[in-house]
Amino acid sequence: MILTVTLNTAVDLTYAVPALVPHSSHRVTEVTERPGGKGVNVARVLSALGHDTVVTGFAGGATGAQLRRLLGTLPHGPADALVPVAGNTRRTLAVVDRSTGDTTQLNEPGPHIGADEWAAFLRTYGDLLPGAEAVALCGSLPPGIHVGAYAELIRLARSAGVPVLLDTGGEPLRRGIAARPDLVKPNADELAKLTGAREPLRATRDARRRGAHSVVASLGADGLLAVTPDGIWRAAPPSAVRGNPTGAGDSAVAGLLSALAEGLGWHDRLTRAVALSTATVLAPAAGEFDRPAYEDLLTRVSVEQHAPAA
Amino acid sequence: MILTVTLNTAVDLTYAVPALVPHSSHRVTEVTERPGGKGVNVARVLSALGHDTVVTGFAGGATGAQLRRLLGTLPHGPADALVPVAGNTRRTLAVVDRSTGDTTQLNEPGPHIGADEWAAFLRTYGDLLPGAEAVALCGSLPPGIHVGAYAELIRLARSAGVPVLLDTGGEPLRRGIAARPDLVKPNADELAKLTGAREPLRATRDARRRGAHSVVASLGADGLLAVTPDGIWRAAPPSAVRGNPTGAGDSAVAGLLSALAEGLGWHDRLTRAVALSTATVLAPAAGEFDRPAYEDLLTRVSVEQHAPAA
């Protein structure tokens, strides 16, 4: 079983409008509603790949109930081990302007998590860890959770002998790296904020020196850069693609975890991550991946090793 | 009991953001959620005035369940006689830009109503009519409901001897007026669309000639213009007020119905309608009214009769 943790789960709403004009009234022409939060997205992709997957984190209020209903309707969906909270699970809203294709994002802050709710989560996490082949800790922290929360969860995973991946930003990333996770997957912005360095290789190496065993930086259309104990690798799609990049980073995390759980090495992990994230950009619906494109890309992603050891 | 009908109920969401910038990402700093749709707003105000009030219309899906929960938490709230439907009740979203105070509105279309659902509504409406002192038919029609729906509901109310008020626009207003409602309350835009006339008195008289017994036109800051069998009246607040006009029209409807149900004449109906709508503009929360301001305004609204009979 692969476990994904989403402390700030969401119901992801998408509104299509003919054109977004501030300070006017709009008729929404299309409404879609999906279970969301980065770890939930990762779990959806892992389930679609055939992995036994469990999601944990928090769900509360009417939006939390809706999140659980939506999770329950996914075919071969991940198992729901979300912990109830008193507050309301947040919504995120993407307003898609059909005239330009651009998206305007509005994210609710999420519920305040109390000390007893965090304690209940730690019990659930502790119960799930022994059965996990790998665990992914994903996304922002909701209000009320201490900034060292991911560091705490990483130490628990390491004590249980479970490989742990961290995908977050800001201070939770800085604290988390210091707890020595097996893998972190920052994007270029998160890396620059963490290290102060803009040059990807320098920033990725710097991030690794802060405590992560391996760092896989996602560089948008340029693919992935991995600095690992086994070497430095670059992986990229055969050509640039156009589409909706929403969820591409989460699909990369799913690719890395999927190959890790199957005992595959870096070449295969990076191939799978790039193929999945590229196939996600190509899918018309945000956060879905185009399966035929994924299977085709598996044979065409380029992976180059740049140095035998980091 | 006063009955209000809201065929396109809603959950009204309000998001505050520091500044709305299209094609960027926003952290929402404040989220409020209220039961909505014009007839629901009217019923909230009637209940707050102490009237026994019942809301009917449709509610479905997760948003419908949330609407009913929100209705149930109102103190002295209206009774819930909403009819279940398979589709999802719509949300409306008002995004308030804190830097300018301006609002951007995004309205979901609402669920498709099937023929059997419309038939179930007609049974509920028929059961409620005999106990009603007055009925208000408010707002837009959801997809699937025939454009003559309000005309049908007006004929049923008239057969039952219940005074009926219509507050809608476009073709449903045009068809509804022809069914001879006791009162319609269009705003200046709806009047102009209906009659082609921009001059308020001419347009209001024209609207009345189309079949309504009385027409009360809401003219924004200029107050109300009533063309009735008993004469023509103008009613206005003592001075222009600044604030949030959301719900002011619904409060005017509540004022008219409240005084009608108490057997009061046009002077009192219009006084109450202008005092309530002005006190709604003055309240900080959208759709609420400022009670001390309302009570003060009751003594200060000006009502002038312009002609003894229309």
Side-chain angles (χ1 to χ4, degrees), chain A residues 13 15 17 22-28 31 33 62 66 69 91 93 100 102-109, chain B residues 13 15 17 22-28 31 33 62 66 69 91 93 97 102-109:
Chain A
L13 273 175
Y15 282 177
V17 295
H23 314 152
S24 74
S25 188
H26 303 78
R27 197 169 284 268
V28 175
V31 181
E33 205 167 307
Q66 177 64 355
R69 258 192 304 271
R91 279 167 286 234
L93 172 64
T100 62
D102 286 319
T103 295
T104 304
Q105 190 73 34
L106 295 151
N107 297 328
E108 297 186 14
Chain B
L13 272 177
Y15 282 177
V17 295
H23 314 152
S24 75
S25 189
H26 304 76
R27 195 170 286 268
V28 175
V31 180
E33 205 167 305
Q66 176 65 355
R69 257 193 304 271
R91 278 167 288 233
L93 173 64
D97 180 324
D102 286 320
T103 295
T104 303
Q105 190 71 36
L106 295 152
N107 297 329
E108 296 185 15

Side-chain angles (χ1 to χ4, degrees), chain B residues 29-174:
Chain B
T29 52
E30 209 183 307
V31 180
T32 61
E33 205 167 305
R34 291 162 34 97
K38 292 171 79 68
V40 172
N41 299 341
V42 171
R44 284 171 62 105
V45 175
L46 286 168
S47 296
L49 293 175
H51 288 278
D52 186 15
T53 312
V54 175
V55 294
T56 188
F58 298 107
T63 324
Q66 176 65 355
L67 168 66
R68 302 185 90 149
R69 257 193 304 271
L70 291 169
L71 265 180
T73 62
L74 294 177
H76 323 292
D80 172 353
L82 295 166
V83 173
V85 285
N88 244 304
T89 295
R90 69 194 174 123
R91 278 167 288 233
T92 75
L93 173 64
V95 182
V96 178
D97 180 324
R98 288 285 188 216
S99 69
T100 62
D102 286 320
T103 295
T104 303
Q105 190 71 36
L106 295 152
N107 297 329
E108 296 185 15
H112 187 276
I113 305 297
D116 52 336
E117 294 168 332
W118 177 243
F121 170 78
L122 287 176
R123 284 193 296 276
T124 298
Y125 182 70
D127 290 346
L128 289 166
L129 272 180
E133 299 156 87
V135 57
L137 310 175
C138 304
S140 60
L141 299 177
I145 288 192
H146 70 96
V147 73
Y150 282 136
E152 187 176 354
L153 299 183
I154 288 164
R155 282 189 291 267
L156 290 168
R158 286 172 52 76
S159 300
V162 181
V164 56
L165 180 154
L166 176 64
D167 184 11
T168 187
E171 192 60 23
L173 172 61
R174 185 185 308 271

Side-chain angles (χ1 to χ4, degrees), chain A residues 3 5 125 129 133-138 150-159 161-167 176 179-185 212-214 257 260:
Chain A
L3 177 63
V5 173
Y125 183 70
L129 272 181
E133 299 156 88
V135 57
L137 310 174
C138 303
Y150 281 137
E152 186 177 353
L153 299 183
I154 288 163
R155 282 190 291 266
L156 290 168
R158 287 173 49 79
S159 299
V162 181
V164 55
L165 179 153
L166 177 63
D167 184 10
R180 307 199 163 275
D182 294 273
L183 184 52
V184 294
K185 194 218 64 60
H213 286 249
S214 298
L257 276 179
L260 175 74

